[in-house]
Amino acid sequence: GRKTEKEARAMSQWKCFNCKAAMEDVDDIKIAYKDLDLPDATGYRCPSCGLEFMDGEFVVNELNSAETMLEGK
């Protein structure tokens, strides 16, 4: 689901621990699982150094179900 305004505001205040720049909200983080390229993830990227973090909700909701399916469990 969509982030609440409060969540979005909280995330927009995250700072990169490498260079202290404000993190940007993005939806094009490249991810791969073993040798598969998966759809882009939502998360946060530092505009200065490029450090990326995936959104926790995306990981729990999307990646867990995809991993379970891929592993055939």
Side-chain angles (χ1 to χ4, degrees):
R2 300 287 305 150
K3 285 188 253 332
T4 65
E5 196 170 315
K6 183 180 176 188
E7 287 172 314
R9 202 169 36 251
M11 290 309 302
S12 68
Q13 294 164 3
W14 280 34
K15 303 276 190 260
C16 175
F17 62 80
N18 284 337
C19 56
K20 310 300 183 239
M23 299 294 277
E24 292 181 333
D25 213 347
V26 296
D27 61 4
D28 62 348
I29 295 175
K30 302 288 181 221
I31 55 174
Y33 179 77
K34 297 187 178 175
D35 59 352
L36 299 171
D37 285 323
L38 299 175
D40 293 348
T42 56
Y44 310 93
R45 179 181 299 126
C46 176
S48 180
C49 73
L51 185 69
E52 294 176 329
F53 293 98
M54 280 192 282
D55 178 60
E57 216 173 275
F58 177 87
V59 172
V60 170
N61 295 336
E62 304 291 330
L63 294 186
N64 279 349
S65 59
E67 181 180 25
T68 300
M69 185 184 69
L70 289 168
E71 293 292 340
K73 294 179 182 163

